[in-house]
Amino acid sequence: MSSQKQPPAVPVEERLFSLVLALLATEAGLTKSEILSTVQGYRQRYDAYGDNASLERQFERDKDDIRELGVPLETIETPGDPGNNQSMRYRIPRTAYELPADITFSPAETTLLNLAAMAWREGSLSRESQRALLKLRSTGVETTEPVLGYAPRIRTRDAAFDPLSDALTRRVTASFPYLKPGDASARLRTVSPLALVQHQGRWHLKAFDHGVGEPRTFLLSRITGPVKVSRQPIEVAPGGYAASALEELDEIWEANVADLEVLPGTDAEVRLARRRGAERVDGSRVLLHFTDVNLLADELAGFGPEVRVLGPEPLIAAVVSRLEAAVAAHQEAR
Amino acid sequence: MATPRDAQQFAYAQDKLTFLLALVPYLLDHGRVTVREAAEHFQVSEKQIRDAVSLIAVSGVPGETMQYQHGDLFDISWDDFDERDEIVITHMVALDDSPRFSAREAAALIAGLQYLQSLPENLDSGVYSSLMDKLARGASESPSQVAVARSDATGSLAEVRDALARGVQIEFDYLSSRGSREHRRVDPLRIDSDDENWYLRAWDHLREAVRTFRLDRMTDVRVTDEPVTGSHDDVALGDRLFQGADDDLVVTIELDPSALSLLGEFVSSVDARATDAAASVSGRVRTDIRVAHINALKRLVTATSSAVTIVDPPEARAAVVDWANEALSQYRSAGLPAAGRPADPASA
């Protein structure tokens, strides 16, 4: 191999594919220099006598990329030489890589999974679910028939969703400016993310707030600026944080009841009275559960004169202040 | 009428790699498969399959000599591939089984399933929980903690779904966004959901066009015995729920950029425009939006009054003032509540 000639560029996916194959094939593992000097895509750029710093950085990024795909890339330290980066060996253990043989999906289940994947049509989770479908198809299962007639969609409109979901998976801390209702300005929060949950159409982050030393629930729509994802690793004890966050929100929802009077024949009557858990009392009164007084107040203000809040007091005050703000912002000539 | 999914292109090397890792075990399992069958199975183009197979055929492991000798590489039957467009792997290395899901991949599908649990299919919850369990066990790490509460659709969903499955027309009363109640007769085409909101896309016999109806605005739904008037296969249902019309109203608004997503499906289009100086000081942007009717806009603006303000036309501003004042008068006559800070149970 001539060292003078510019080596032909190896496509990224070919380099990554070759790396996975090489690491799957080895039992004992390969050292970094073995990988860089022999594996397709690296070897072309490897300089046996010189500095391979940029190639090493490339390898570090490739490792992250591969792990993100769920490939269990392991490092083995040499006994008697712990912590030595150069003697560390890398491999992908077959049993941790392969889908267990007893996990199979029926055509009906595959149909359902296709539909579940379809619900993510935006944001990073749409890529994740498309990749999951590729792996599913890898097992060869056919769908019975495409699910006709449904187009489900879960939105991830909040700009904070993708970076937070990233921080959650990488198990690192994140910080963001958060505007608590009633506060004059946003305050910077630094948290260890525990779960992202959607409840009543809103994304919430359950996280350990380092400022107060306790877990808190944040509404993503109240994050007012960019989320900074740190490289600070965190220890998170395994647990069903998402399920318990949803349970907590449900409990709050259950405990809060708005007492509303709706105008018959209006949008408010038709829509509010048919919500989950809504209860009609004597004709025009509707009892409605809610989780967040400010979110509900926004919504109720939009119904204008079609709905009047009878209670609780904070909800009345919140709706009235929104209506007054709408009048103030629109009444004088501009 | 499903959304026809075009052959997916992989923009990222990670996705291309996943495709390669998924394709090899499939090809090994099948022994012999045509390029076309594989393309259909993976919902990619035939070219993507050919490119991937060409790459696989020259890939392998460094091997004992560290030189990628012949036996260290995958091999395919080139005659079958070149002449018959068939794929037969004749020699494999290192890779023979399908990969596990990543923590996030499993989480995405699990959360999607949680969301779908509100569909009125005859599926007992056991189907869902067994699937979620398999996804969790099939992941290389425990799935990320992402969950979506099930979205309970309002009453009519089961009836509409039934009509859709049997291909019959339905009739219902509909409260339009203009505020009028109308009787409709439609051929149901598809049920769309958007977070906790559910919609019916249907061929409207009166309008002779595809319309989108909010399920929670439909009342007195009646499933008829009359078959739908056509397959409407020529109708492309895009992702957008609402399409603009020529008689749309153009309104200039000023808004906090973070509120742009709130406008979402309410408006048929947003024409971004250079911010003017006054607006940019407050961090707000000015933009033109097109709305079907002032009735929908005044509701939206009153609901988001801290973030969105109408600039023009004056009639639209007046509509908001009237709407909010009308609401306020009810409270004034009842005696305004004492000013108090709203409680905020859900937030940190």
Side-chain angles (χ1 to χ4, degrees):
Chain A
M1 202 190 306
S2 162
S3 59
Q4 307 294 328
K5 254 192 344 201
Q6 186 70 25
V10 175
V12 184
E13 65 271 23
E14 182 174 353
R15 181 180 73 233
L16 296 176
F17 186 51
S18 303
L19 179 59
V20 172
L21 292 177
L23 296 181
L24 271 172
T26 172
E27 274 292 324
L30 300 175
T31 66
K32 197 194 290 183
S33 65
E34 281 169 344
I35 291 167
L36 299 187
S37 61
T38 63
V39 172
Q40 174 73 354
Y42 297 101
R43 63 183 175 134
Q44 286 83 351
R45 291 162 56 194
Y46 183 75
D47 184 346
Y49 306 103
D51 171 44
N52 290 293
S54 91
L55 200 55
E56 286 190 25
R57 283 196 298 277
Q58 181 69 67
F59 173 64
E60 294 302 318
R61 286 196 296 273
D62 289 350
K63 271 194 315 185
D64 288 346
D65 280 0
I66 285 176
R67 283 186 175 134
E68 241 177 66
L69 298 178
V71 175
L73 198 160
E74 260 185 16
T75 49
I76 312 161
E77 296 199 330
T78 309
D81 193 11
N84 183 344
N85 225 326
Q86 297 309 317
S87 67
M88 198 122 82
R89 307 182 79 81
Y90 299 91
R91 64 175 206 136
I92 299 171
R94 205 163 271 279
T95 50
Y97 170 84
E98 291 167 351
L99 195 65
D102 67 315
I103 295 184
T104 54
F105 298 94
S106 71
E109 287 176 326
T110 310
T111 305
L112 207 53
L113 288 172
N114 274 303
L115 200 58
M118 187 187 187
W120 299 100
R121 272 180 278 171
E122 55 191 30
S124 59
L125 286 189
S126 85
R127 260 183 78 204
E128 311 282 346
S129 55
Q130 289 310 310
R131 285 208 295 258
L133 287 189
L134 286 178
K135 294 179 180 178
L136 194 65
R137 290 183 191 127
S138 174
T139 66
V141 60
E142 304 283 346
T143 19
T144 30
E145 56 183 277
V147 176
L148 298 175
Y150 277 126
R153 185 201 308 253
I154 304 170
R155 295 273 188 182
T156 53
R157 289 195 179 105
D158 304 287
F161 184 87
D162 279 358
L164 286 176
S165 122
D166 215 34
L168 181 68
T169 309
R170 288 170 197 244
R171 294 197 185 89
V172 290
T173 62
S175 53
F176 48 81
Y178 190 75
L179 182 63
K180 190 175 161 180
D183 285 1
S185 59
R187 206 153 49 77
L188 191 73
R189 311 289 188 108
T190 300
V191 304
S192 296
L194 300 172
L196 276 167
V197 297
Q198 200 205 54
H199 189 260
Q200 303 273 299
R202 303 280 181 156
W203 282 103
H204 298 71
L205 170 74
K206 182 84 185 175
F208 185 86
D209 184 337
H210 292 280
V212 294
E214 277 178 32
R216 286 280 189 271
T217 302
F218 301 91
L219 251 174
L220 266 60
S221 61
R222 290 185 183 141
I223 293 176
T224 57
V227 175
K228 283 207 185 94
V229 178
S230 80
R231 296 185 145 264
Q232 186 67 46
I234 48 174
E235 283 293 319
V236 177
Y241 299 105
S244 67
L246 280 182
E247 267 168 38
E248 268 174 46
L249 288 166
D250 265 340
E251 278 166 26
I252 295 169
W253 178 87
E254 191 68 49
N256 285 307
V257 180
D259 191 352
L260 312 174
E261 189 174 68
V262 291
L263 213 57
T266 62
D267 203 31
E269 190 220 7
V270 170
R271 287 171 56 194
L272 295 173
R274 296 161 89 195
R275 287 242 170 115
R276 174 167 79 105
E279 189 190 331
R280 267 196 112 117
V281 276
D282 51 71
S284 61
R285 265 178 75 201
V286 173
L287 299 180
L288 197 67
H289 290 283
F290 66 98
T291 23
D292 186 290
V293 76
N294 288 291
L295 294 179
L296 181 63
D298 283 344
E299 205 189 346
L300 294 179
F303 284 109
E306 295 179 354
V307 60
R308 182 161 74 96
V309 184
L310 303 174
E313 283 292 322
L315 182 62
I316 304 178
V319 170
V320 166
S321 79
R322 279 160 179 72
L323 294 168
E324 286 170 342
V327 172
H330 292 91
Q331 69 182 352
E332 68 274 10
R334 296 169 70 98
Chain B
M1 176 166 298
T3 321
R5 281 221 162 176
D6 295 326
Q8 51 179 328
Q9 295 292 331
F10 303 115
Y12 299 90
Q14 277 183 316
D15 298 338
K16 291 179 188 167
L17 172 62
T18 306
F19 177 50
L20 293 169
L21 297 176
L23 183 60
V24 171
Y26 168 82
L27 295 175
L28 289 171
D29 264 3
H30 280 67
R32 178 183 294 269
V33 67
T34 64
V35 167
R36 183 193 205 149
E37 284 163 356
E40 273 171 17
H41 181 76
F42 280 96
Q43 294 178 24
V44 297
S45 69
E46 293 185 13
K47 178 175 186 309
Q48 282 171 289
I49 296 286
R50 282 188 206 103
D51 289 350
V53 170
S54 304
L55 173 57
I56 291 164
V58 297
S59 294
V61 297
E64 293 203 349
T65 61
M66 301 289 190
Q67 292 295 321
Y68 285 95
Q69 297 289 331
H70 185 71
D72 303 325
L73 302 176
F74 276 95
D75 202 4
I76 62 165
S77 163
W78 287 98
D79 287 350
D80 285 319
F81 188 54
D82 290 339
E83 284 157 31
R84 284 181 284 280
D85 227 10
E86 289 179 353
I87 312 160
V88 182
I89 294 184
T90 52
H91 183 69
M92 58 79 69
V93 282
L95 188 65
D96 54 1
D97 271 329
S98 301
R100 286 178 184 254
F101 303 107
S102 77
R104 281 173 89 174
E105 290 162 6
L109 291 187
I110 289 173
L113 288 172
Q114 290 170 337
Y115 177 72
L116 292 180
Q117 280 185 292
S118 31
L119 291 179
E121 303 300 310
N122 287 327
L123 287 173
D124 61 287
S125 59
V127 174
Y128 285 98
S129 56
S130 119
L131 248 183
M132 291 183 202
D133 175 61
K134 280 192 212 174
L135 289 170
R137 282 197 298 122
S140 55
E141 285 179 275
S142 59
S144 309
Q145 290 289 316
V146 176
V148 177
R150 54 186 291 171
S151 151
D152 291 84
T154 26
S156 341
L157 183 58
E159 285 140 301
V160 173
R161 170 64 184 146
D162 170 52
L164 194 59
R166 293 197 289 129
V168 294
Q169 303 178 19
I170 57 172
E171 287 185 325
F172 54 89
D173 285 335
Y174 194 68
L175 199 61
S176 77
S177 65
R178 289 163 200 250
S180 53
R181 192 181 282 268
E182 294 157 355
H183 188 73
R184 306 286 187 121
R185 191 179 180 98
V186 305
D187 295 348
L189 299 177
R190 191 173 83 189
I191 295 166
D192 278 35
S193 73
D194 190 319
D195 288 341
E196 83 281 25
N197 298 315
W198 293 76
Y199 301 87
L200 169 66
R201 316 280 295 268
W203 179 262
D204 186 336
H205 289 210
L206 191 66
R207 303 278 185 300
E208 296 195 319
V210 172
R211 286 287 184 270
T212 299
F213 303 95
R214 276 191 75 103
L215 248 55
D216 63 359
R217 280 200 180 124
M218 292 166 50
T219 48
D220 299 319
V221 178
R222 195 173 72 80
V223 178
T224 72
D225 291 325
E226 269 181 72
V228 293
T229 54
S231 68
H232 304 293
D233 276 345
D234 51 330
V235 180
L237 291 180
D239 265 4
R240 284 193 72 93
L241 287 166
F242 300 99
Q243 307 300 328
D246 291 341
D247 59 346
D248 275 357
L249 196 65
V250 177
V251 177
T252 305
I253 58 166
E254 213 174 85
L255 81 167
D256 194 306
S258 65
L260 204 65
S261 63
L262 290 177
L263 297 177
E265 299 281 352
F266 274 91
V267 291
S268 48
S269 77
V270 175
D271 306 320
R273 198 165 77 194
T275 343
D276 73 5
S280 66
V281 170
S282 60
R284 289 186 154 202
V285 295
R286 241 174 220 214
T287 181
D288 284 352
I289 58 174
R290 297 166 66 85
V291 293
H293 197 270
I294 196 70
N295 189 38
L297 183 67
K298 72 181 182 194
R299 289 164 185 268
L300 172 67
V301 171
T302 312
T304 55
S305 57
S306 61
V308 183
T309 310
I310 299 174
V311 179
D312 202 55
E315 309 88 84
R317 292 169 57 83
V320 173
V321 173
D322 290 350
W323 185 244
N325 265 333
E326 218 184 306
L328 281 169
S329 71
Q330 306 185 77
Y331 293 99
R332 292 201 183 100
S333 61
L336 277 178
R341 173 178 290 196
D344 185 22
S347 86

